[in-house]
């Protein structure tokens, strides 16, 4: 895998959906690439501005309006700069996209072309040979959607860099991430100092974040997962009228009401997507009602298939 293990030739691009993911996910890897004489960049997708509970707690206010949210985002952008300094990463290595927290899925749906272009601009300028981003199955919706966007940005590139994924939410399952980085010398304390710079996050979640930061960093290698086009879920019929199926491919994104989605039912009861001309194919289920629970229940999965899917030629061009 080019860029791995790290050396002076490693050009690492880290994808962080929020301030603190760069440290939690890749705080050791960033230090090790720099120590080896390699180069790093970080794409910070959002400023983490939609983060109401820590903000209510620290600012002693109940109502969070747009002005307060912008102020919080600016504070978190500042925190990430301080964290990177602790990791030895120059400020010029940070590429903030300035998107809003909890909006990566909406960006994927509403502006796929612009979102991919923002990522491609950094890929083309920096030419990384190693990209490290959130895992597809991370249960935070911004993380799963960030993975899909990066995969779609890399799809079709002539010389695509190697891709590793890190898991922040659902880390109890991380043992199946086989690539492991252990801290060397002062790297662990520096990672903890970087984490401490994310003061807004340490107030309410410090214990969980410190526990994550004290573990070795684990990564999984990401390749296209070839399946048979079947969805990994069989949602109960009672929910079907409220369910929506989100399908993302390089050709575009469609958000189908479940009852109108181009699904066929196999004899064993599983559901298969009828057609998607461009691969990879990512799917996610969501409910069409508001919920205070932000984490994904039927989060993003890849159902890429090499089999010609029935109806592919009709459905493919409609995507997007
Ligand atoms: Zn995050």
């Amino acid at each position: 895998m080019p860029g791995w293990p790290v050396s002076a030739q490693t050009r690492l691009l880290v994808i962080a959906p929020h301030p603190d993911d760069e440290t939690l996910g890749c705080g050791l890897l960033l230090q090790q690439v720099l120590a080896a004489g390699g180069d790093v960049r970080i794409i910070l997708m959002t400023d983490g501005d939609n983060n109401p509970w820590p903000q209510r707690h620290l600012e002693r206010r109940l109502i969070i309006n747009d002005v307060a949210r912008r102020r919080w985002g600016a504070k978190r952008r500042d925190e990430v700069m301080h964290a990177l300094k602790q990791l030895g990463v120059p400020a010029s290595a940070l590429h903030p996209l300035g998107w809003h927290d909890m909006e990566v899925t909406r960006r994927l749906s509403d502006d796929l072309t612009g979102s991919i272009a923002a990522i491609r601009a950094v890929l083309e300028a920096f030419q990384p040979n190693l990209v490290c981003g959130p895992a597809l199955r991370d249960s935070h919706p911004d993380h799963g959607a960030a993975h899909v966007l990066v995969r779609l940005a890399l799809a079709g590139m002539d010389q695509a860099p190697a891709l590793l994924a890190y898991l922040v939410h659902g880390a109890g399952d991380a043992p199946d991430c086989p690539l492991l980085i252990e801290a060397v010398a002062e790297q662990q304390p520096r990672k903890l100092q970087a984490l401490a710079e994310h003061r807004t996050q340490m107030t309410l979640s410090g214990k969980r974040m410190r526990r994550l930061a004290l573990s070795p960093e684990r990564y999984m290698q990401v390749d296209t997962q070839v399946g048979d086009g079947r969805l990994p879920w069989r949602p109960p019929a009672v929910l079907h009228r409220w369910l929506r199926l989100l399908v993302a491919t390089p050709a575009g994104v469609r958000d189908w009401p479940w009852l109108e989605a181009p699904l066929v039912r196999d004899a064993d009861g599983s559901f298969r997507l009828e057609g998607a001309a461009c691969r990879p194919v990512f799917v996610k289920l969501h409910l069409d009602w508001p919920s205070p629970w932000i984490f994904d229940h039927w989060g993003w999965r890849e159902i890429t298939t090499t089999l010609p899917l029935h109806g592919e030629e009709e459905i493919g061009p409609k995507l997007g």
Side-chain angles (χ1 to χ4, degrees):
M1 184 170 47
W4 183 274
V6 300
S7 70
Q9 277 68 50
T10 302
R11 298 178 66 76
L12 168 68
L13 174 64
V14 167
I15 312 289
H18 312 107
D20 76 19
D21 291 319
E22 79 300 327
T23 300
L24 283 173
C26 308
L28 295 180
L29 182 59
L30 282 164
Q31 293 182 71
Q32 293 191 3
V33 171
L34 291 172
D39 204 357
V40 303
R41 296 288 185 278
I42 295 111
I43 290 182
L44 178 65
M45 287 183 161
T46 81
D47 287 338
D49 50 323
N50 187 358
N51 186 216
W53 288 107
Q55 188 169 5
R56 285 186 184 114
H57 178 77
L58 283 176
E59 295 188 353
R60 302 274 179 243
R61 64 167 62 231
L62 192 61
I63 307 297
I64 310 289
N65 58 19
D66 284 351
V67 175
R69 206 170 284 127
R70 274 198 295 277
R71 183 175 61 242
W72 191 257
K75 187 184 272 192
R76 293 195 68 186
R77 176 89 68 91
D78 202 44
E79 288 176 346
V80 79
M81 300 303 293
H82 284 94
L84 290 176
K85 198 171 176 189
Q86 295 285 358
L87 296 172
V89 178
S92 58
L94 185 71
H95 293 270
L97 301 185
W99 299 351
H100 291 300
D101 199 356
M102 289 301 292
E103 281 195 349
V104 183
T105 309
R106 191 191 59 74
R107 286 201 67 93
L108 178 77
S109 296
D110 294 356
D111 185 15
L112 182 66
T113 307
S115 306
I116 284 180
I119 297 168
R120 282 244 175 100
V122 181
L123 286 169
E124 280 160 16
F126 179 54
Q127 300 282 322
N129 52 14
L130 181 62
V131 174
C132 202
L136 183 67
R137 66 182 166 87
D138 191 297
S139 58
H140 191 297
D142 281 347
H143 284 233
H147 180 105
V148 173
L149 272 178
V150 170
R151 293 284 301 283
L152 297 181
L154 292 172
M157 279 182 73
D158 287 341
Q159 292 259 306
L163 179 59
L164 295 179
Y166 63 86
L167 193 64
V168 171
H169 310 90
D173 300 331
D176 69 350
C177 301
L179 301 171
L180 194 98
I181 293 197
E182 303 266 11
V184 179
E186 293 302 303
Q187 291 169 353
Q188 192 82 67
R190 260 191 248 127
K191 177 168 174 169
L192 286 171
Q193 283 160 13
L195 194 65
E197 297 288 358
H198 291 286
R199 291 188 172 83
T200 57
Q201 304 308 292
M202 296 303 282
T203 311
L204 295 185
S205 310
K207 203 170 158 192
R208 182 184 80 88
M209 290 171 66
R210 254 189 300 273
R211 181 170 44 78
L212 268 174
L214 283 167
S215 313
E217 278 171 16
R218 292 175 181 275
Y219 301 93
M220 61 190 103
Q221 200 168 340
V222 182
D223 295 310
T224 293
Q225 300 291 308
V226 177
D228 58 6
R230 288 185 200 194
L231 304 191
W233 319 282
R234 297 181 196 182
V238 68
L239 290 178
H240 286 184
R241 58 184 292 205
W242 290 288
L243 275 176
R244 297 186 72 89
L245 176 68
L246 201 51
V247 181
T249 78
V253 177
R254 277 296 290 264
D255 191 8
W256 306 87
W258 175 268
L259 295 172
E260 294 171 23
L263 294 167
V264 287
R265 191 118 202 224
D266 284 349
D268 66 356
S270 59
F271 294 93
R272 188 191 301 267
L273 189 67
E274 256 196 313
C278 298
R279 301 178 174 96
V281 181
F282 300 98
V283 291
K284 170 182 171 156
L285 276 184
H286 61 113
L287 281 166
D288 206 6
W289 64 45
S291 163
W293 180 250
I294 65 161
F295 292 101
D296 285 333
H297 181 64
W298 299 286
W300 287 103
R301 297 291 183 270
E302 185 173 357
I303 59 159
T304 299
T305 172
T306 55
L307 302 170
L309 295 172
H310 175 64
E312 188 166 58
E313 63 286 352
E314 290 105 53
I315 305 273
K318 279 196 222 153
L319 289 166

